[in-house]
Coordinates of all heavy atoms in Angstrom, one line a residue:
G378 N 0.8 -1.2 0.0 CA -0.1 0.0 -0.1 C 0.8 1.2 0.0 O 0.5 2.2 -0.6
A379 N 2.0 1.2 0.8 CA 2.8 2.4 0.8 C 3.4 2.9 -0.6 O 3.6 4.1 -0.8 CB 4.0 2.1 1.7
Y380 N 3.5 1.9 -1.4 CA 4.0 2.3 -2.8 C 3.1 2.2 -3.9 O 3.5 2.4 -5.0 CB 5.2 1.4 -3.1 CG 6.5 1.6 -2.3 CD1 6.7 1.0 -1.1 CD2 7.3 2.6 -2.6 CE1 7.9 1.2 -0.3 CE2 8.4 2.9 -1.8 CZ 8.7 2.2 -0.6 OH 9.8 2.6 0.1
T381 N 1.8 1.9 -3.7 CA 0.8 1.9 -4.7 C -0.3 2.8 -4.4 O -1.2 3.0 -5.3 CB 0.3 0.4 -4.8 OG1 -0.3 0.0 -3.6 CG2 1.4 -0.5 -5.3
I382 N -0.6 3.3 -3.1 CA -1.8 4.0 -2.8 C -1.2 5.4 -2.4 O -0.2 5.6 -1.9 CB -2.5 3.3 -1.6 CG1 -3.0 2.1 -2.0 CG2 -3.6 4.3 -1.1 CD1 -3.6 1.3 -0.9
P383 N -2.1 6.4 -2.9 CA -1.7 7.8 -2.5 C -1.3 7.9 -1.0 O -2.0 7.4 -0.1 CB -2.8 8.7 -2.8 CG -3.5 7.8 -3.9 CD -3.3 6.4 -3.6
V384 N -0.3 8.7 -0.7 CA 0.2 8.9 0.7 C -0.9 9.3 1.6 O -1.1 8.9 2.8 CB 1.3 9.8 0.8 CG1 1.8 10.1 2.2 CG2 2.5 9.3 0.0
H385 N -1.7 10.4 1.2 CA -2.7 10.9 2.0 C -3.8 10.0 2.3 O -4.3 9.9 3.4 CB -3.4 12.1 1.3 CG -3.8 13.2 2.3 ND1 -2.8 13.9 3.0 CD2 -4.9 13.8 2.5 CE1 -3.4 14.9 3.6 NE2 -4.8 14.9 3.4
T386 N -4.0 8.9 1.6 CA -5.0 7.8 1.8 C -4.3 6.8 2.6 O -5.0 6.2 3.6 CB -5.4 7.2 0.5 OG1 -6.1 8.3 -0.3 CG2 -6.4 6.2 0.7
M387 N -3.1 6.5 2.4 CA -2.4 5.4 3.0 C -2.2 5.7 4.5 O -2.0 4.8 5.4 CB -1.1 5.1 2.4 CG -0.5 3.7 2.9 SD -1.6 2.4 2.6 CE -0.8 1.2 3.7
V388 N -2.1 7.0 4.9 CA -1.9 7.3 6.3 C -3.0 6.7 7.2 O -2.7 6.1 8.3 CB -1.8 8.8 6.5 CG1 -1.9 9.3 7.9 CG2 -0.6 9.4 5.8
W389 N -4.2 6.9 6.7 CA -5.4 6.4 7.5 C -5.6 4.8 7.3 O -6.0 4.1 8.2 CB -6.7 7.1 7.4 CG -7.3 7.1 6.0 CD1 -7.2 8.0 5.1 CD2 -8.1 6.1 5.4 NE1 -7.8 7.7 3.8 CE2 -8.4 6.4 4.1 CE3 -8.6 4.9 5.9 CZ2 -9.2 5.7 3.2 CZ3 -9.5 4.2 5.1 CH2 -9.8 4.5 3.8
L390 N -5.4 4.5 6.0 CA -5.6 3.1 5.6 C -4.5 2.2 6.4 O -4.9 1.0 6.7 CB -5.4 2.9 4.2 CG -5.8 1.5 3.6 CD1 -7.1 1.1 4.0 CD2 -5.6 1.5 2.1
G391 N -3.3 2.7 6.5 CA -2.3 1.9 7.3 C -2.8 1.7 8.7 O -2.6 0.6 9.2
S392 N -3.4 2.7 9.3 CA -3.9 2.4 10.6 C -5.1 1.5 10.7 O -5.1 0.7 11.6 CB -4.3 3.8 11.3 OG -3.2 4.8 11.3
V393 N -5.8 1.6 9.7 CA -7.1 0.6 9.5 C -6.5 -0.9 9.4 O -7.0 -1.8 10.1 CB -8.0 1.0 8.4 CG1 -9.0 -0.1 8.1 CG2 -8.6 2.3 8.6
L394 N -5.5 -1.0 8.6 CA -4.8 -2.3 8.4 C -4.2 -2.8 9.7 O -4.4 -4.1 10.1 CB -3.8 -2.2 7.3 CG -4.2 -2.2 5.9 CD1 -3.1 -1.9 5.0 CD2 -5.2 -3.3 5.5
M395 N -3.7 -2.0 10.5 CA -3.1 -2.4 11.7 C -4.1 -2.9 12.8 O -4.0 -3.8 13.4 CB -2.1 -1.3 12.4 CG -1.4 -1.7 13.7 SD -0.3 -0.5 14.2 CE -1.4 0.8 14.6
V396 N -5.1 -2.0 12.9 CA -6.3 -2.3 13.8 C -6.9 -3.7 13.4 O -7.2 -4.5 14.2 CB -7.2 -1.1 14.0 CG1 -8.5 -1.5 14.8 CG2 -6.6 0.1 14.6
A397 N -7.2 -3.8 12.1 CA -7.9 -5.0 11.6 C -6.9 -6.1 11.9 O -7.5 -7.3 12.3 CB -8.1 -4.8 10.1
A398 N -5.7 -6.1 11.8 CA -4.8 -7.2 12.1 C -4.8 -7.6 13.5 O -4.8 -8.8 13.9 CB -3.3 -6.8 11.7
I399 N -4.8 -6.6 14.3 CA -4.9 -6.8 15.8 C -6.2 -7.5 16.2 O -6.2 -8.5 16.9 CB -4.7 -5.5 16.6 CG1 -3.2 -5.0 16.5 CG2 -5.0 -5.7 18.1 CD1 -3.0 -3.6 17.1
L400 N -7.2 -7.0 15.6 CA -8.5 -7.5 15.9 C -8.6 -9.1 15.4 O -9.2 -9.9 16.1 CB -9.7 -6.7 15.3 CG -9.8 -5.3 16.0 CD1 -11.0 -4.6 15.2 CD2 -10.2 -5.5 17.5
L401 N -8.1 -9.2 14.2 CA -8.1 -10.6 13.7 C -7.3 -11.6 14.5 O -7.7 -12.7 14.8 CB -7.5 -10.6 12.2 CG -7.4 -11.9 11.5 CD1 -8.7 -12.6 11.3 CD2 -6.6 -11.7 10.2
A402 N -6.1 -11.1 14.9 CA -5.3 -12.0 15.8 C -6.0 -12.3 17.1 O -5.9 -13.4 17.6 CB -4.0 -11.4 16.0

């Protein structure tokens, strides 16, 4: 995502991915 998605979008999307990973685990 960091190298394919616009930075402004990836800032919040990266946080969403991290929270989703924590909840999944």
